[in-house]
Amino acid sequence: MNALKHIKVLHIHDRQSNEDYGVSELKEYCKNFYEANDCYRGIELYKEEKPEIVIYNVSFPKISNEEFIKKIKQINEKAQVIITTQSLTKEKLYNAINFHLIKYLIYPFNLNTLLDSLKDCIRSIDSNTSNIIKLSKTFTYDRFNKTLFKDEKLISLSAKEMDFFHLLVKNKDRAVSYEEFNQIIWEGEMTKDALRSIVKDLRKKIDKNIIKNISGIGYRVNL
């Protein structure tokens, strides 16, 4: 992952964390990798080095995750923060929507999962775009955490519905072809009925005009 060689990464962790799930291996990928064992030292180091990405896994922080993010965002509102956590609540996911550029990783994860999250962060940095997509006045989608909200309510999606919708949003500037859905989501075993069923069920949960059918081609998200 050559892009990481040119990115500064700050890892803030405490001594309560016995496992880092591949975080230490990032040193092999990152030329500029910094560490802090205390959230306040982490903030000071952030001010000094101005890293593009922060990985935060403090088990018993002296300040809450929300307070920590606010302090980082006050320094750089475009800061990319990956928070590792034992569990993920609706409140945390909604906070991610509000703060932007926040990715949650649930233990246990591995180096590949962590690298995928870093790739998301780097793409956001390169494109200078947010991971938060406003679909309509009431619906919001978080590309990093793959969550869909209607106002403050988290919309429950099945695994297939989420894969389908994420593929649409990921390619929001074009139509996604039937063949792409077939290969990426169904691994070559898609039926027309299965695809129609996914679209039908999704349209019951979100505004019907958000998913648009492009005749003879496939579907696209209508923003």
Side-chain angles (χ1 to χ4, degrees):
M1 193 172 176
N2 292 330
L4 273 177
K5 294 180 180 179
H6 310 289
I7 294 290
K8 291 183 178 181
V9 176
L10 170 61
H11 181 209
I12 305 174
H13 60 99
D14 62 6
R15 299 187 186 279
Q16 303 290 339
S17 304
N18 295 321
E19 298 181 83
D20 65 12
Y21 298 97
V23 178
S24 62
E25 296 176 57
L26 287 178
K27 295 176 184 178
E28 299 178 15
Y29 296 84
C30 300
K31 186 177 180 181
N32 301 292
F33 187 87
Y34 308 94
E35 290 185 274
N37 292 323
D38 177 88
C39 50
Y40 292 110
R41 172 55 187 151
I43 291 171
E44 290 303 311
L45 195 55
Y46 187 85
K47 291 178 181 177
E48 294 169 12
E49 300 296 339
K50 298 179 175 58
E52 289 88 351
I53 301 172
V54 176
I55 301 171
Y56 185 69
N57 62 331
V58 175
S59 301
F60 301 102
K62 296 177 182 178
I63 60 176
S64 69
N65 287 345
E66 290 74 23
E67 290 177 283
F68 169 78
I69 295 169
K70 285 178 181 178
K71 289 181 180 295
I72 291 295
K73 292 291 186 177
Q74 285 171 357
I75 302 168
N76 177 13
E77 64 178 11
K78 295 183 179 181
Q80 311 271 331
V81 182
I82 297 173
I83 296 179
T84 61
T85 181
Q86 295 286 352
S87 61
L88 202 49
T89 64
K90 173 186 171 183
E91 182 182 7
K92 286 180 180 177
L93 290 170
Y94 189 68
N95 283 336
I97 290 281
N98 288 331
F99 284 120
H100 290 228
L101 305 174
I102 304 298
K103 170 71 176 179
Y104 283 101
L105 279 181
I106 305 174
Y107 295 118
F109 56 85
N110 56 33
L111 177 62
N112 288 334
T113 302
L114 181 58
L115 287 174
D116 285 342
S117 296
L118 289 169
K119 288 175 186 177
D120 284 339
C121 292
I122 291 170
R123 277 192 289 267
S124 181
I125 293 168
D126 289 344
S127 63
N128 196 30
T129 59
S130 173
N131 57 302
I132 307 303
I133 308 295
K134 193 70 177 176
L135 300 168
S136 68
K137 290 182 180 180
T138 55
F139 285 93
T140 307
Y141 183 70
D142 180 347
R143 289 188 297 111
F144 281 3
N145 298 293
K146 295 185 178 181
T147 51
L148 179 67
F149 276 86
K150 181 179 182 182
D151 296 322
E152 297 184 19
K153 181 182 177 182
L154 179 65
I155 304 300
S156 178
L157 300 179
S158 70
K160 277 285 195 294
E161 289 171 348
M162 178 55 66
D163 289 343
F164 177 91
F165 195 72
H166 186 72
L167 190 58
L168 285 181
V169 176
K170 185 179 178 181
N171 298 279
K172 59 185 178 65
D173 296 322
R174 66 174 180 85
V176 180
S177 70
Y178 297 122
E179 184 56 27
E180 286 177 279
F181 289 123
N182 181 32
Q183 294 300 326
I184 297 173
I185 299 177
W186 277 272
E187 298 181 345
E189 297 182 359
M190 184 185 78
T191 65
K192 290 183 179 179
D193 285 343
L195 181 61
R196 291 194 192 102
S197 179
I198 290 291
V199 174
K200 181 180 178 181
D201 290 342
L202 271 171
R203 282 175 170 164
K204 290 177 181 178
K205 298 178 180 181
I206 61 177
D207 291 343
K208 290 182 178 180
N209 62 350
I210 289 177
I211 300 176
K212 184 178 181 181
N213 178 236
I214 307 300
S215 181
I217 299 175
Y219 291 92
R220 70 173 298 165
V221 64
N222 192 23
L223 299 179

